[in-house]
Structure formats: C-alpha cells, structure tokens
Amino acid sequence: MGTVVDDAASAEFHAFFERHYAELSRLALLLTGESDTADDLAADALLALWHRWDRVRAADHPAAYARGVVANLARTRIRSAVRERRRIALFWPQREERTENPDVAGVVDVREALRRLPFRKRACVVLRHAFDLSEKDTALALGISVGTVKSQTSKGMAELGRLLGTRQAPLRTVHAAGLPRTGQAAGRDR
C-alpha cells in the first residue's frame, strides 16, 4: 500500500515539474542574469522540493513555495559570485566582457539594469512585471509582506528608470527581458 502513495506522489511531482520547470528557470535567469546557471538553479530548486514533497504538496501555494526556493538559491548564488569576483579582481585586471549573441539593445539594457538592482528590488520587479504575479503571490514567493512588495517594486521600477535614463522603466522591455507575454504568466496559481 505504501507504493501506491509513493507512486501517486511521484506522478504528482512529475506533473508539477513539467508545469513549472520552464517558469522557474526563467525566474532564475532574470534574478541572476546568468543563462548558463538558470537551469541548474531551477533543477536544484525542484530537487529540494522533491525531498520535501509531502510538505510542499500540502501547501496552499506550491508554485509560490517553489518560486521562493528559486529566489533563495539565486540570492545565495549571487552572493557567492560576488565574493568570487572580488577575489579574482585582486589577482587579475578587469577585462571587457564580450556578448556572443546580443539581444535587442533595449532588452540587454534592461537586463543589465536589473543586475544592478539590490536583490529584493530585483526579485519584486521580476515577479510582479515579468511574471505578472499579484502582490500577494509575490509576497508569498519571497516570504515578505505585501507592503514590502509594493514599496520594493515601486522603488525598483524608479531605480530602473534612473538607470535606463527614462522617467519610468518601460514595462514592455521588462517583459521582453526574459519572458514571452501571453496575457498571464505560465503556471500562475490563483
């Protein structure tokens, strides 16, 4: 009888994986700005969810829980990368980065500006505008209050506007910076 429960949990997790993997990978890409690690972070998050699947599947918002795991893993990755870059900078002179397959100039500018935002502002802007999550869903994903989501999103958009040299960050470009827009974000829980 235990295998029936295990098989049911396995099938349920597999369906969750299929439904949310691409979304979680895009979230990781927008939070870290590193396409080569986005899939790894999404996979790591899903592995962590699998290990706690009984608790996750019982949650009110499993997708929000998954987004929070990705956000936490991305934050850890960014902190680690910053420490590593500081160590490397001590020994090697800075060199100009090359872009192999450049995107549309506006998208590249927005992605660069997003990377310059503090993590919480970046996460709020990405979840609210690129993923079209509600303030409540964003708060659930990040483990913060709705008021904090409102203020961090507002401040983040204003800072993006300053970084991009516009009065207000162009939302169309924020959407284009990493997600195709189809009216609603894929996998959105209501």
Side-chain angles (χ1 to χ4, degrees):
M1 185 164 175
T3 59
V4 173
V5 173
D6 292 343
D7 289 344
S10 180
E12 198 175 282
F13 177 78
H14 181 73
F16 182 87
F17 179 97
E18 292 294 324
R19 189 171 47 250
H20 295 287
Y21 178 78
E23 170 196 350
L24 296 174
S25 181
R26 288 189 305 265
L27 173 60
L29 170 64
L30 290 170
L31 292 176
T32 65
E34 299 175 2
S35 60
D36 56 333
T37 61
D39 286 335
D40 290 341
L41 286 176
D44 289 347
L46 285 161
L47 180 61
L49 293 174
W50 172 244
H51 289 296
R52 292 177 253 155
W53 185 242
D54 286 340
R55 185 171 56 177
V56 173
R57 72 193 248 205
D60 290 335
H61 304 285
Y65 188 90
R67 290 182 199 112
V69 171
V70 169
N72 287 332
L73 288 172
R75 179 182 303 117
T76 300
R77 168 81 179 166
I78 290 165
R79 287 178 179 162
S80 175
V82 166
R83 285 191 301 271
E84 184 65 22
R85 286 182 191 126
R86 286 180 183 153
R87 284 190 291 259
I88 290 171
L90 293 173
F91 299 104
W92 287 281
Q94 296 269 337
R95 60 183 186 142
E96 191 174 314
E97 287 185 25
R98 295 181 188 157
T99 305
E100 287 183 19
N101 294 318
D103 288 333
V104 176
V107 172
V108 172
D109 291 346
V110 169
R111 285 185 178 172
E112 180 57 36
L114 279 170
R115 278 192 283 273
R116 293 176 62 190
L117 291 179
F119 182 81
R120 186 176 283 179
K121 287 179 188 173
R122 179 181 337 141
C124 287
V125 168
V126 166
L127 289 171
R128 290 282 294 126
H129 295 291
F131 278 79
D132 199 27
L133 292 184
S134 69
E135 291 165 343
K136 180 181 175 189
D137 289 342
T138 300
L140 279 169
L142 297 176
I144 58 178
S145 71
V146 171
T148 301
V149 169
K150 289 178 182 181
S151 68
Q152 293 295 292
T153 303
S154 176
K155 290 174 184 177
M157 290 301 288
E159 195 167 332
L160 273 179
R162 282 190 299 278
L163 291 169
L164 295 169
T166 61
R167 296 186 92 213
Q168 195 172 32
L171 291 180
R172 279 181 310 162
T173 311
V174 171
H175 295 298
L179 297 174
R181 296 286 296 172
T182 58
Q184 288 188 357
R188 184 174 186 186
D189 287 348
R190 291 207 175 247

